[in-house]
Amino acid sequence: MTKPAKKNTKTPKSWKFKILLFLLVMIVAGAAALAGYVYILDKEVQTKFSGEKWQLPVWIYSRPLELHRNQKISLKQLENELVTLNYRKVYDPQNPGEYAVEGNNVVIIKRPFRFYDGDEKERALFLQFANDRIQTLKDAKTGATLAAARMDPIILDRITMGNEEDRIKITLQDVNEKLIPILTTIEDRDFYDHFGIKPTSIARAMIANIRAGRNVQGGSTLTQQLVKNFYLTSERSLSRKIKEALMSLIVEYRYSKNEILEAYLNEIYLGQNGSNGVYGFGLASYFYFGLPVRELDVGQISTLVAIIRGPSYYDPWRHKERTRERRDLILKKLLDEDIITPAEYDKYASQDIEVLARGKAIYGKTPAYVDLVKREIREKMGDEILKVSGLKVFTSFDPNAQRAAENAVEKIGAEFKKRYPEIQIAFAIANWHKGEVIGLVGGRDYATKGMFNRAIDAHRPIGSTIKPIVYLTGFAEKNYQLSTVIDDSSLTVHYGKQEWRPRNFDHKYHGKVFLRDALAKSLNIPAVRVGVDVKIKNVIKNLQAVGVDQELQAYPSLLLGTVEMSPLEMTQMFSVFASQGYYKPLTSIRAIVDKNDELIYRENEDAKRIFNAQDTYLLTQGLINVVKSGTARSLNSILPNVNIAGKTGTTDDGKDSWFAGYDNDDVFAVWVGTDDNKPTGYTGSSGALKVFNSYVQERGASSISIAVPKGIANQRFNRFGNPIENDCKLEGSIVVPAKVSALGSVEPCYYYSE
């Protein structure tokens, strides 16, 4: 009999158990994968957030206006500077960036600023003006007399080096106290309470947007907005939203609310400036209003917060009314939340949207000067330095000098253009005491076209502006004097197998003339006689000593200005004359600091003497005489009681018109001509000097006041160039400064007649 099979007592696993097991495995695997993904995201968040968040542009600043008692500056010039700095004229100044004028008195609440050599604190200043000078400078609150005060500098430009994101990095301490409450109330009222995301807000926003048919309400927290802008792309997908949520949770876990807020303020996109995006409140504040973010009022802050929702949709230039509608909605919300008072609401809601004209931000308007700064940075520190994030470059740029130069070029250029449409003008200005370039105009249209910087790159024959260096060589090499009598008659110069016959501009000869008068009237033949006598090679040596960096051939025509120079090089040469013989390379840069305000460069090059004080003093007196009674005498009619030294220059057929000179502070050079080197017919007097005359009427000038060097004394000379011991009137006699030790014998007083 067959035994029955033994029954299997084990219970087979149920299908439910298998499913649960599978789900458990999937959950564990998913959790592991999620943990790994979160770990990767955490590393990504920390790497960028804790490191160098942004490649910041290089910012270029002007010189700060330094105020002191008896300073030569008019009330109008001070106001021009304040307007350029976007200080606001009010009845009763209380806040930084405000000022008031009553008669000749001014009260300014100057902004704080961190310079390369220390911090300037906020301060209330009282100034009183008289005769275009500061008569009184006091602390407006304490009444204490101040030795000096330093204003904040102007932002000239920024260098982004191809980076499309442009921003000014700010901290929470830099902003108006109302900005954070306004921002969080409108964009994320629960910011200080949530952990990075708000699911209910997301759902509420989705419903509102579906009903409206467009984006009318945002559901993202500030943290999500930061993550989206800082880490992610603009892709709209479920996976990106999940990634955004996870990264927001990580950011909230890793960093404080203040750190998140500060990053948000610097990262948020707020518009477009040409090819560059405007990122962060720091830059947007300047871009739209020309003000530091600390000085924005409630209406302006509300306008920026309105733009957050859609920088293109709420563009205040293209959609002004739409932007105002959103701003007013924000103001109403602030009123409802008791963040502003009813009076504040009425005040700001009644105001129009007032932003700077598009493209009129206070920076980017001095391309010729910034071009010089860039070149100098590269020359001194190499190309790579401009790629360093957050550099601040402090320059010697003077907005008052620049404004006067630009106005003169525009005014006289328009007049010249009627005769010669292609006429161009270049202008360079420097402070000869410090060896600093303070203004530069690269051409009539350089500010808009920004192509050829004629102030630096237009090397043109200098004509008679070479004569000062010729006569200075004569003073130094062979003891010529202003009283030296030179023969202005027919002259033939032999060189090699050739000969050259120079002529005067008027094609006349003037017989025996004093060197002083030959310089004043810009006679050619006397200059050639002196140049040949002292040897052309010595003139070349001195040209190179004053900064002419080119190989020069010792042709006699060099003595009448065939040498080619740029306006900036001409300014360099005349700065040596102004400083009584000291050479110091002109610079536009005072200092450079890194993003942490640590000094990495400071200009400290010493000047070196290349001419003695006696010789340059004689030259200065001769150049003053050019303005008093010579080819530049039209300037004397404008400023009859001011001693300015200058020299006109004209090349063949009037192709190039020059004027160069200096007063007690500044040295300057103006060139007028065409890029294709065609004759214009303008002389130095009718062309370049006319531009300078317009400039000086706005800028003003300080009369030259140079101490008389040892060994120099005023002396009377007769018409033969011999010193006279007494004061009797002699026909053709002159009184000029002279080197006393070289006068020789003293003649008795005779009366010479023809």
Side-chain angles (χ1 to χ4, degrees), residues 94-322:
Q94 296 294 327
N95 303 304
E98 296 179 342
Y99 76 100
V101 178
E102 184 177 349
N104 291 324
N105 300 334
V106 182
V107 173
I108 307 169
I109 312 296
K110 77 179 190 72
R111 296 174 178 134
F113 191 85
R114 172 166 287 183
F115 288 95
Y116 58 89
D117 57 355
D119 290 349
E120 284 284 334
K121 305 297 184 184
E122 172 189 329
R123 194 167 203 171
L125 304 176
F126 171 79
L127 299 92
Q128 191 172 56
F129 286 80
N131 300 319
D132 289 342
R133 290 185 180 274
I134 297 175
Q135 188 178 50
T136 304
L137 177 62
K138 294 182 177 181
D139 186 305
K141 292 184 177 180
T142 66
T145 298
L146 302 176
R150 184 163 57 168
M151 299 295 295
D152 45 309
I154 295 165
I155 297 175
L156 297 184
D157 213 334
R158 75 274 180 272
I159 306 170
T160 58
M161 296 303 289
N163 178 19
E164 294 184 356
E165 292 192 5
D166 197 0
R167 59 173 51 80
I168 298 176
K169 186 180 178 182
I170 58 175
T171 67
L172 292 180
Q173 287 69 42
D174 296 325
V175 304
N176 183 304
E177 61 182 9
K178 289 286 184 72
L179 192 153
I180 300 304
I182 293 174
L183 175 66
T184 53
T185 297
I186 302 305
E187 291 295 317
D188 190 356
R189 64 180 301 167
D190 298 322
F191 173 73
Y192 289 102
D193 299 319
H194 65 64
F195 47 86
I197 59 174
K198 292 190 299 182
T200 54
S201 295
I202 296 173
R204 186 168 58 249
M206 289 178 60
I207 295 171
N209 294 338
I210 291 171
R211 287 176 176 173
R214 60 185 177 89
N215 188 23
V216 297
Q217 185 174 330
S220 298
T221 65
L222 288 181
T223 311
Q224 286 176 277
Q225 291 182 46
L226 172 62
V227 166
K228 180 176 66 176
N229 285 278
F230 198 49
Y231 295 100
L232 307 175
T233 66
S234 57
E235 174 195 0
R236 294 187 176 185
S237 65
L238 179 60
S239 62
R240 193 199 67 79
K241 291 297 291 183
I242 293 173
K243 185 176 182 180
E244 175 188 302
L246 289 173
M247 294 183 86
S248 298
L249 293 171
I250 293 169
V251 168
E252 287 277 348
Y253 174 75
R254 289 290 183 188
Y255 304 102
S256 69
K257 292 290 186 180
N258 281 349
E259 288 176 303
I260 295 169
L261 263 180
E262 192 164 286
Y264 179 92
L265 292 176
N266 285 290
E267 176 61 26
I268 192 67
Y269 173 64
L270 287 166
Q272 197 71 21
N273 180 23
S275 61
N276 289 68
V278 177
Y279 289 84
F281 279 81
L283 181 59
S285 181
Y286 276 105
F287 181 64
Y288 291 108
F289 306 110
L291 296 172
V293 68
R294 183 192 301 274
E295 294 176 22
L296 296 178
D297 62 31
V298 168
Q300 292 164 332
I301 294 171
S302 298
T303 299
L304 293 184
V305 173
I307 293 172
I308 291 175
R309 183 60 54 87
S312 178
Y313 189 80
Y314 293 109
D315 184 324
W317 290 295
R318 290 189 300 150
H319 308 297
K320 191 173 185 178
E321 288 306 313
R322 182 188 295 169

Side-chain angles (χ1 to χ4, degrees), residues 46 64 84 152 176 225 235 272 304 360-361 388 484 523 586 601 616:
Q46 290 190 69
T84 305
D152 45 309
N176 183 304
Q225 291 182 46
E235 174 195 0
Q272 197 71 21
L304 293 184
K360 295 296 183 181
V388 176
T484 300
L523 301 178
L586 293 178
Y601 171 82
T616 52

Side-chain angles (χ1 to χ4, degrees), residues 400-600:
N400 284 323
Q402 182 73 20
R403 183 183 300 106
E406 288 177 353
N407 290 343
V409 169
E410 181 179 358
K411 177 183 176 181
I412 306 303
E415 181 182 321
F416 289 168
K417 185 180 178 181
K418 296 174 184 177
R419 183 177 173 186
Y420 294 101
E422 301 304 317
I423 202 81
Q424 280 295 344
I425 304 171
F427 205 145
I429 315 150
N431 179 290
W432 58 263
H433 296 280
K434 299 178 180 178
E436 294 179 336
V437 182
I438 63 174
L440 210 66
V441 180
R444 283 182 44 244
D445 53 2
Y446 190 86
T448 53
K449 295 184 179 179
M451 297 182 292
F452 181 50
N453 193 340
R454 298 167 186 86
I456 304 175
D457 297 323
H459 291 83
R460 304 296 291 267
I462 65 174
S464 291
T465 46
I466 198 174
K467 288 172 182 171
I469 198 74
V470 173
Y471 287 125
L472 182 57
T473 305
F475 297 154
E477 295 291 333
K478 287 208 171 182
N479 213 37
Y480 277 82
Q481 303 267 16
L482 292 173
S483 60
T484 300
V485 175
I486 306 173
D487 186 15
D488 181 25
S489 61
S490 178
L491 173 67
T492 300
V493 179
H494 298 274
Y495 62 103
K497 295 182 180 181
Q498 302 183 57
E499 59 180 35
W500 175 57
R501 294 183 179 89
R503 295 184 299 175
N504 290 321
F505 184 79
D506 60 4
H507 301 286
K508 297 178 181 179
Y509 301 113
H510 304 86
K512 304 291 185 179
V513 295
F514 291 116
L515 185 151
R516 182 194 71 166
D517 296 333
L519 176 59
K521 297 173 183 177
S522 200
L523 301 178
N524 289 339
I525 293 173
V528 173
R529 287 190 187 276
V530 171
V532 171
D533 184 37
V534 300
K535 300 189 182 310
I536 299 172
K537 68 177 184 180
N538 288 323
V539 176
I540 291 174
K541 177 189 71 174
N542 288 336
L543 280 168
Q544 293 172 334
V546 298
V548 178
D549 185 19
Q550 56 185 280
E551 185 176 344
L552 300 172
Q553 300 298 320
Y555 297 126
S557 59
L558 174 144
L559 300 171
L560 295 183
T562 56
V563 178
E564 295 184 349
M565 296 173 67
S566 70
L568 187 60
E569 287 174 325
M570 181 70 73
T571 305
Q572 176 75 76
M573 179 168 72
F574 272 70
S575 72
V576 176
F577 308 155
S579 60
Q580 298 191 72
Y582 282 97
Y583 174 82
K584 185 177 188 298
L586 293 178
T587 180
S588 62
I589 301 172
R590 289 184 174 179
I592 302 175
V593 300
D594 64 17
K595 66 179 185 298
N596 299 316
D597 293 313
E598 294 292 329
L599 187 68
I600 61 174

